[in-house]
Amino acid sequence: MGERGGGAGGSGDLIFQDGRLISGSLEALMEHLVPTVDYYPDRTYIFTFLLSSRVFIPPHDLLARVGQLCVEQRQQLEAGSEKAKLKSFSAKIVQLLKEWTEAFPFDFQDEKAMAELKAITHRVTQCDEENGTVKKAISQMTQSLLLSLAARSQLQELREKLRSPAMDKGPVLKAKPPAAQKDILGVCCDPLVLAQQLTHIELERVSSIHPEDLMQIVSHMDSRDKHRCRGDMTKTYSLEAYDNWFNCLSMLVATEVCRVVKKKHRTRMLEFFIDVARECFNIGNFNSMMAIISGMNLSPVARLKKTWSKVKTAKFDVLEHHMDPSSNFCNYRTALQGATQRSQTANSSREKIVIPVFNLFVKDIYFLHKIHTNHLPNGHINFKKFWEISRQIHEFMTWTQVECPFEKDKKIQSYLLTAPIYSEEALFIASFESEGPENHMEKDSWKTLRTTLLNRA
């Protein structure tokens, strides 16, 4: 819809390569965002710039600059008495604001940003009749924005009320629970069903992560970047909560295994979780799969050699192969690529599910940021870098919006989310009680644990 910017000249210019914007000054990039009578920015550019600009300028300041550019263009059109063009320009500004409020509604929770939004919408409606299309569009946009903000506010309040799974310290020296106490197999003995319920929880939790949350990995983790945004840091609660879920699931798996008294039952528990992890892999739920494998690889579980000797480990070996960390998790990335391709051509919601290993995704974004500079030697913003970061975040957001096709089982989910999990100390105690220490190091650890707990008692 028209081209803006162009040459490779002054500091305000934009640099294109093969028709793709690769760099420019912050001012030129901001100007490229704002429509004119015969130009409207590409949607991918709008998303990428609005996402990446917060590294350099707070959203409310960007909105203020957009407002200034709008005023300048309006004044030029008003001076020429071109009412039709003025109305067309106003409609494009409202469309830009609509895309902004839909993609990043949380930007407008800030009072300064909301004030700037009201100021811009007030200016663009001055040429519109009483019940004109521009005013209607602004009214609908504002209503949708307020609903989005209210929904997110309610979600945050709900998160604060939800308690984390209880950390069971285990009784002194005797970490085993009563024989009648329920375990995961007493709640769900079908690996596929449990994998489906884990996928439900994953999709519910990951849906609360927003693009700007992920962008904070870039804008706030590099304290040495003097150009980073110095506005108030938004809480990354959703990222922390999702990361905590991974850790809790790993500890729950370890707890379920270590607290079982009989070796035969422990073997069955390990084989059950191996099957659950395998079903997670088939679904495309790589995050739960990795959490389960991590739980089984924790020292208190991994040291149970007599138990593992009875386990048919062929399936587990395949899973570990998929999650082999060598060559930067090459095997996992191949599987993820396969799941992504399946998702892109899917005819059903089941085939669309892709839940990547979140920690690896975050590391990818962070290292992409660290490898490439924010600014080029000529002072331009390295927009090529932010195209790639934006592409990966946009792909992740597409995965989070998939509706879970599996029927929700409240009983199973309640157990997964609220079942007591052992502390690291209690896990080791339960493990040593199941299979005694085998070497000097383990004997010393067991002795220290007993002494610590006796003194605490």
Side-chain angles (χ1 to χ4, degrees):
M1 297 181 69
E3 191 64 58
R4 199 170 185 174
S11 61
D13 291 336
L14 301 173
I15 306 298
F16 290 83
Q17 187 178 68
D18 299 326
R20 189 174 181 81
L21 176 60
I22 60 168
S23 74
S25 67
L26 179 59
E27 180 62 28
L29 291 169
M30 287 192 288
E31 289 176 3
H32 196 59
L33 177 70
V34 179
T36 64
V37 173
D38 53 6
Y39 163 80
Y40 190 81
D42 182 79
R43 288 198 72 181
T44 54
Y45 176 75
I46 293 173
F47 179 83
T48 301
F49 181 68
L50 290 178
L51 180 64
S52 57
S53 63
R54 63 199 67 234
V55 176
F56 310 98
I57 181 173
H60 63 83
D61 284 346
L62 173 61
L63 197 58
R65 182 60 186 134
V66 168
Q68 290 172 358
L69 292 168
C70 290
V71 169
E72 291 169 10
Q73 290 201 52
R74 277 185 60 84
Q75 288 172 345
Q76 291 175 8
L77 292 170
E78 286 169 350
S81 300
E82 299 180 84
K83 192 170 183 181
K85 288 186 177 181
L86 188 60
K87 191 171 181 180
S88 172
F89 170 69
S90 297
K92 287 180 179 178
I93 290 297
V94 173
Q95 177 61 27
L96 174 66
L97 295 173
K98 179 174 180 287
E99 291 195 42
W100 191 339
T101 55
E102 287 176 350
F104 305 99
F106 205 52
D107 286 352
F108 299 88
Q109 194 176 47
D110 181 88
E111 290 181 5
K112 294 177 184 176
M114 190 60 86
E116 292 292 347
L117 178 65
K118 289 177 181 177
I120 295 172
T121 53
H122 175 70
R123 292 187 200 110
V124 298
T125 54
Q126 288 177 351
C127 68
D128 202 29
E129 54 268 20
E130 183 60 31
N131 293 307
T133 54
V134 173
K135 284 183 178 176
K136 285 181 180 178
I138 288 173
S139 177
Q140 290 172 355
M141 175 192 74
T142 305
Q143 189 174 7
S144 296
L145 173 60
L146 293 174
L147 286 172
S148 295
L149 290 175
R152 191 178 290 198
S153 178
Q154 289 173 357
L155 186 61
Q156 284 180 329
E157 289 176 9
L158 183 61
R159 286 190 199 129
E160 295 296 333
K161 291 177 183 177
L162 288 174
R163 69 183 185 89
S164 298
M167 187 67 80
D168 188 346
K169 298 295 183 183
V172 176
L173 293 182
K174 193 68 180 175
K176 300 293 183 185
Q181 187 170 327
K182 190 185 296 182
D183 63 17
I184 188 68
L185 288 171
V187 178
C188 176
C189 59
D190 186 333
L192 175 59
V193 172
L194 190 64
Q196 290 174 345
Q197 295 311 305
L198 286 170
T199 303
H200 244 298
I201 294 170
E202 293 277 356
L203 287 172
E204 283 179 6
R205 300 215 164 195
V206 81
S207 66
S208 66
I209 295 174
H210 301 276
E212 59 269 33
D213 299 328
L214 296 167
M215 201 62 190
Q216 287 193 45
I217 300 163
V218 173
S219 59
H220 297 308
M221 283 181 72
D222 188 3
S223 59
R224 291 173 294 178
D225 185 353
K226 64 183 179 182
H227 298 289
R228 72 193 181 105
C229 173
R230 299 191 181 278
D232 293 336
M233 278 195 190
T234 308
K235 287 183 179 179
T236 54
Y237 183 91
S238 54
L239 300 184
E240 292 169 7
Y242 193 47
D243 191 45
N244 288 340
W245 153 248
F246 180 97
N247 296 331
C248 285
L249 178 55
S250 294
M251 293 296 281
L252 177 64
V253 169
T255 300
E256 292 290 325
V257 173
C258 288
R259 74 180 195 169
V260 177
V261 178
K262 294 182 179 180
K263 182 170 66 177
K264 182 180 178 181
H265 292 164
R266 277 199 307 278
T267 301
R268 185 186 172 204
M269 187 69 76
L270 279 170
E271 290 181 337
F272 173 71
F273 277 119
I274 290 169
D275 287 338
V276 173
R278 188 183 180 193
E279 294 295 350
C280 285
F281 177 84
N282 293 335
I283 289 170
N285 180 359
F286 299 106
N287 200 56
S288 288
M289 173 191 172
M290 179 65 104
I292 292 168
I293 293 173
S294 298
M296 289 190 285
N297 280 328
L298 288 173
S299 296
V301 180
R303 65 166 298 277
L304 298 171
K305 293 178 182 178
K306 292 176 183 176
T307 305
W308 279 103
S309 69
K310 301 295 182 182
V311 174
K312 297 173 184 177
T313 56
K315 294 177 186 176
F316 187 66
D317 293 340
V318 171
L319 294 174
E320 288 214 300
H321 172 74
H322 286 308
M323 293 300 168
D324 183 357
S326 61
S327 301
N328 194 20
F329 288 89
C330 177
N331 296 338
Y332 157 69
R333 294 182 190 282
T334 301
L336 179 64
Q337 188 178 18
T340 303
Q341 290 171 350
R342 179 188 68 184
S343 177
Q344 290 168 349
T345 58
N347 296 316
S348 67
S349 295
R350 286 177 179 240
E351 295 174 326
K352 288 182 180 179
I353 295 171
V354 182
I355 306 172
V357 178
F358 188 62
N359 284 335
L360 290 180
F361 174 78
V362 168
K363 285 177 182 176
D364 286 348
I365 296 293
Y366 181 62
F367 283 114
L368 183 62
H369 163 56
K370 294 295 287 183
I371 291 168
H372 303 285
T373 59
N374 285 349
H375 290 86
L376 300 175
N378 65 355
H380 277 195
I381 289 172
N382 182 9
F383 207 68
K384 191 174 181 180
K385 162 185 173 174
F386 291 103
W387 277 124
E388 180 57 26
I389 291 175
S390 172
R391 184 193 67 77
Q392 292 194 24
I393 290 177
H394 187 271
E395 185 175 50
F396 180 84
M397 297 313 300
T398 302
W399 296 333
T400 69
Q401 290 159 17
V402 172
E403 188 175 344
C404 190
F406 310 121
E407 188 176 346
K408 189 173 183 177
D409 189 311
K410 292 182 179 179
K411 184 181 177 183
I412 297 173
Q413 289 202 19
S414 175
Y415 186 89
L416 289 169
L417 294 169
T418 63
I421 54 178
Y422 281 1
S423 66
E424 190 176 359
E425 275 185 356
L427 282 175
F428 269 111
I429 292 168
S431 178
F432 283 134
E433 287 187 337
S434 296
E435 296 184 20
E438 291 192 344
N439 53 51
H440 290 301
M441 189 178 293
E442 286 192 346
K443 286 176 182 177
D444 289 343
S445 296
W446 181 219
K447 185 178 178 181
T448 303
L449 268 175
R450 289 170 64 91
T451 304
T452 301
L453 291 174
L454 283 169
N455 290 339
R456 192 180 296 163

